[in-house]
Amino acid sequence: GQQLNQSPQSMFIQEGEDVSMNCTSSSIFNTWLWYKQDPGEGPVLLIALYKAGELTSNGRLTAQFGITRKDSFLNISASIPSDVGIYFCAGLADNNNDMRFGAGTRLTVKP
Amino acid sequence: KAGVTQTPRYLIKTRGQQVTLSCSPISGHRSVSWYQQTPGQGLQFLFEYFSETQRNKGNFPGRFSGRQFSNSRSEMNVSTLELGDSALYLCASSLGLAQETQYFGPGTRLLVL
């Protein structure tokens, strides 16, 4: 099925830097979700967004639900080594029948 | 409270064989969804079960099937395995039908030779 367009594919940053990644789609979604996946583990939900324009924070993480309902972004401020992992966006459409995922952004943080 | 558990964690099979993977949801959760994760295709939805009934199904061939038992535990089966079925199979459970509140298990990594 149609997956989401997530960018960048990978990022190599220095500890303390801010990070930004985004997801876009040609379809409208009712819910946007951001997950983090560590090696050998399943994805863990970081932030859930339910309303167009919504801006939600979870510690150093901030995510926004785009006004058009076709995009979302995730920011991580003051990155630390444990932020390393793969970040996925996911969207739930009008019928909420199944979840679509982005291909993931692999984040590497150099101490 | 224990998280979602999946067994086995790793599995090696050969082409043509069949495989059954198991998922035990978080206690009290009634919805179980299955996903396939590969480097090329990313995370793709397989199917979702709620109260022993399949609610939704992704775009996968009929070789992929699943079921849910009365205790909410779920199994998925892949018959006539192909090399391309090598993947991490993830199970996620949620209390009700809201997929956004689902919790993922660690996955079963399947290698088909």
Side-chain angles (χ1 to χ4, degrees), chain B residues 7-29:
Chain B
T7 56
R9 289 294 307 273
Y10 303 93
L11 203 51
I12 300 176
K13 291 283 187 179
T14 55
R15 275 183 300 175
Q17 286 187 309
Q18 69 140 18
V19 68
T20 299
L21 312 181
S22 180
C23 171
S24 292
I26 291 172
S27 177
H29 284 195

Side-chain angles (χ1 to χ4, degrees), chain B residues 56-93:
Chain B
N56 295 304
K57 190 175 191 304
N59 190 25
F60 277 81
R63 300 185 297 107
F64 291 80
S65 63
R67 58 178 176 167
Q68 187 180 32
F69 302 95
S70 58
N71 61 358
S72 294
R73 192 176 69 84
S74 177
E75 288 181 347
M76 70 162 278
N77 186 78
V78 187
S79 62
T80 321
L81 284 166
E82 301 176 0
L83 295 179
D85 296 333
S86 295
L88 181 67
Y89 289 89
L90 291 161
C91 162
S93 77

Side-chain angles (χ1 to χ4, degrees), chain A residues 2-8 21-26 29 32 34 70-72 89 101-104:
Chain A
Q2 179 65 45
Q3 299 292 78
L4 306 178
N5 300 309
Q6 185 172 349
S7 64
M21 59 192 80
N22 69 82
C23 264
T24 61
S25 170
S26 56
F29 288 99
W32 281 94
W34 285 92
K70 293 182 180 181
D71 62 333
S72 177
C89 62
F101 288 86

Side-chain angles (χ1 to χ4, degrees), chain A residues 8-89:
Chain A
Q9 268 189 318
S10 60
M11 301 184 77
F12 296 83
I13 62 168
Q14 208 67 38
E15 183 177 359
E17 288 183 354
D18 296 343
V19 170
S20 186
M21 59 192 80
N22 69 82
C23 264
T24 61
S25 170
S26 56
S27 305
I28 287 175
F29 288 99
N30 275 345
T31 304
W32 281 94
L33 307 162
W34 285 92
Y35 289 89
K36 183 189 177 208
Q37 186 173 23
D38 291 326
E41 301 295 329
V44 173
L45 181 65
L46 297 173
I47 292 180
L49 301 158
Y50 300 100
K51 194 176 164 184
E54 179 182 353
L55 186 72
T56 297
S57 292
N58 178 8
R60 294 178 295 106
L61 277 62
T62 302
Q64 183 157 32
F65 191 141
I67 290 289
T68 63
R69 293 166 65 194
K70 293 182 180 181
D71 62 333
S72 177
F73 73 75
L74 174 71
N75 282 347
I76 305 173
S77 62
S79 58
I80 59 178
S82 63
D83 290 334
V84 163
I86 303 177
Y87 293 80
F88 292 96
C89 62

